[in-house]
Amino acid sequence: MAPVKNGRVVFKEYPGKAFVVPGKTVVYDESETIDVDTVPLDGGVLLKMLYLSIDPYLRRLMLPTEERKAHSGVPPVRIANWAVGVVVRSEDPSHNAGDHVLGLLPLRHYSVVKNTAALMKLENKEGIPWSAYLGVCGMPGKTAYCAWKEFAKPKPGDTVFVSAASGAVGAVVVQLAKADGCRVIASAGTHEKVAYVASLGADVAFNYKLVPTMKVLQREGPINIYWDNVGGETLEAALEQAATHARVIVCGSISTYNTAEPYNVKNLQLLLWKEIHMYGFLVGTLEPKYQEAFYREMPAKYAKGEVKYKEHFVRGLEKGPEAIVEVHEGKNFGKSVLVVAEE
Ligand SMILES: NC(=O)c1ccc[n+]([C@@H]2O[C@H](COP(=O)([O-])OP(=O)(O)OC[C@H]3O[C@@H](n4cnc5c(N)ncnc54)[C@H](OP(=O)(O)O)[C@@H]3O)[C@@H](O)[C@H]2O)c1
């Protein structure tokens, strides 16, 4: 076969403290080609990308290296993300053509992977859609599962507040909290998202763009557990309305990822007076402890309909730059998945 274009999504320019600009800071580039029949594998595999996860943290990978190093352990300049691919050719006896794998893969159509130990072969005995391994049965689901188990310490009847509750992580947290007998308050940014989180079991669901979070929490609190996906003023309101000995699980801070200045939370003193425990975490740290239980439970529960999951598909790798900014603008309704190719 003649070489074909091997399109890719490239972080081209540091976006500063503002939203990513598709076509400028992140671009789709078709300058490279690949001959899928002859490209050397050096003992590895050739993968064709099927589904690529679009996660808020991709924005973080665009921070300048020094700042990124100072704030977390994310390795510098990694233009890759969680993806499901199918093996096209293999020189590795543990992988056969047609196998589906999950890995941190470059944002491109075809990739040669030499370090096949970094790939997870998906057996998928439950027969769930492959894309679910990027969401409810992938990194975001694992984020919710691991940190809920590690930090929430729920008691039946506890009141839990979840922000960005309709998203990939938030929707799983809502369901875990309900399964543990908690009363759930959930916020989201559109009428449809609010209706969806209510359908997941949230006892109180509201649109934070229409009703101030502080007002809702004043009425419905005090809260025993706050799952923070957004930071900023929402975190401040949650601390204000927290019960004594509340647990605050700091998962994300999306309201501050694209702003010129960091948001300085003004009432951290409440941690002292209310003896609040606040836990920041990165999923990769908790993963080894919970990985086995997660893969035993979550795909089976999803296959049986015991856990609900919604996906937001964007079709075409060339739409990658737009998809990356859209999760920061709230335009995704459910887990954002870029469909690169369909089988
Ligand atoms: N700690 C970890 O290891 C870890 C791992 C994965 C994800 N995370 C974090 O978890 C959070 C959720 O991630 P996800 O993948 O599940 O994303 P998601 O919720 O599927 O998508 C992001 C959502 O955030 C909401 N949002 C955007 N700007 C906002 C703002 N200014 N105020 C309030 N909400 C805003 C939007 O929903 P609305 O329409 O409702 O505003 C948007 O749809 C993110 O902060 C992410 O960085 C952390």
Side-chain angles (χ1 to χ4, degrees):
M1 199 169 116
V4 291
K5 283 180 181 167
N6 194 12
R8 57 187 184 144
V9 176
V10 188
F11 294 170
K12 197 172 175 203
E13 208 178 281
Y14 172 53
K17 293 175 176 174
F19 284 94
V20 162
V21 181
K24 183 169 183 278
T25 45
V26 184
V27 299
Y28 178 66
D29 167 67
E30 280 193 334
S31 60
E32 294 187 0
T33 60
I34 186 169
D35 188 326
V36 296
D37 293 326
T38 60
V39 62
L41 304 184
D42 297 331
V45 296
L46 174 65
L47 296 181
K48 179 180 175 183
M49 177 94 81
L50 298 178
Y51 300 102
L52 171 67
S53 181
I54 301 293
D55 298 292
Y57 89 113
L58 285 173
R59 172 69 180 81
R60 181 166 181 76
L61 300 184
M62 299 175 213
L63 291 177
T65 309
E66 317 73 61
E67 194 175 343
R68 198 166 53 219
K69 273 189 187 157
H71 285 82
S72 81
V74 178
V77 195
R78 191 184 59 188
I79 308 171
N81 198 23
W82 295 105
V84 173
V86 62
V87 177
V88 178
R89 287 170 45 219
S90 175
E91 289 179 354
D92 176 340
S94 60
H95 291 281
N96 297 313
D99 284 351
H100 289 74
V101 295
L102 175 72
L104 274 172
L105 297 170
L107 281 62
R108 64 193 318 163
H109 284 283
Y110 291 97
S111 293
V112 172
V113 179
K114 292 173 189 167
N115 177 20
T116 54
L119 298 173
M120 178 175 159
K121 195 194 279 197
L122 298 173
E123 304 289 350
N124 197 3
K125 295 191 182 95
E126 297 81 8
I128 60 177
W130 297 111
S131 54
Y133 284 99
L134 301 180
V136 66
C137 299
M139 185 276 281
K142 217 179 283 175
T143 300
Y145 182 94
C146 295
W148 180 260
K149 300 267 176 214
E150 184 77 9
F151 304 122
K153 303 175 191 79
K155 290 188 286 302
D158 272 355
T159 296
V160 180
F161 172 41
V162 185
S163 52
S166 77
V169 175
V172 178
V173 175
V174 169
Q175 295 177 77
L176 290 171
K178 287 308 295 176
D180 280 338
C182 299
R183 176 173 167 268
V184 174
I185 306 169
S187 65
T190 68
H191 175 69
E192 291 74 21
K193 290 181 180 184
V194 169
Y196 173 61
V197 292
S199 79
L200 298 177
D203 301 273
V204 178
F206 69 100
N207 183 339
Y208 69 92
K209 291 179 181 168
L210 300 180
V211 190
T213 299
M214 182 72 92
K215 214 169 176 180
V216 176
L217 298 184
Q218 254 163 1
R219 192 180 67 221
E220 304 291 345
I223 56 178
N224 306 100
I225 301 168
Y226 172 43
W227 184 284
D228 187 19
N229 281 324
V230 309
E233 279 179 21
T234 312
L235 171 58
E236 219 164 61
L239 291 175
E240 207 64 39
Q241 302 306 326
T244 299
H245 296 145
R247 282 79 71 202
V248 175
I249 302 170
V250 181
C251 175
S253 185
I254 198 162
S255 73
T256 67
Y257 292 166
N258 302 283
T259 52
E261 297 301 329
Y263 186 92
N264 295 314
V265 175
K266 297 172 207 66
N267 54 359
L268 285 176
Q269 204 188 62
L270 292 174
L271 268 65
L272 167 64
W273 305 124
K274 297 187 188 182
E275 298 184 84
I276 296 168
H277 284 203
M278 202 161 168
Y279 304 95
F281 74 99
L282 291 173
V283 60
T285 309
L286 296 175
E287 209 172 2
K289 184 169 170 186
Y290 294 101
Q291 173 105 329
E292 195 270 327
F294 174 78
Y295 281 115
R296 184 162 23 84
E297 283 177 35
M298 200 55 98
K301 282 193 171 165
Y302 173 50
K304 283 189 240 162
E306 291 169 16
V307 173
K308 293 187 187 129
Y309 172 53
K310 185 167 176 46
E311 292 172 311
H312 176 91
F313 290 116
V314 178
R315 292 178 199 280
L317 186 59
E318 68 283 3
K319 301 268 176 56
E322 283 80 8
I324 288 171
V325 73
E326 279 176 7
V327 292
H328 292 268
E329 295 170 336
K331 289 186 180 157
N332 63 310
F333 182 8
K335 168 68 194 135
S336 180
V337 174
L338 192 62
V339 182
V340 183
E342 300 199 65
E343 291 183 296

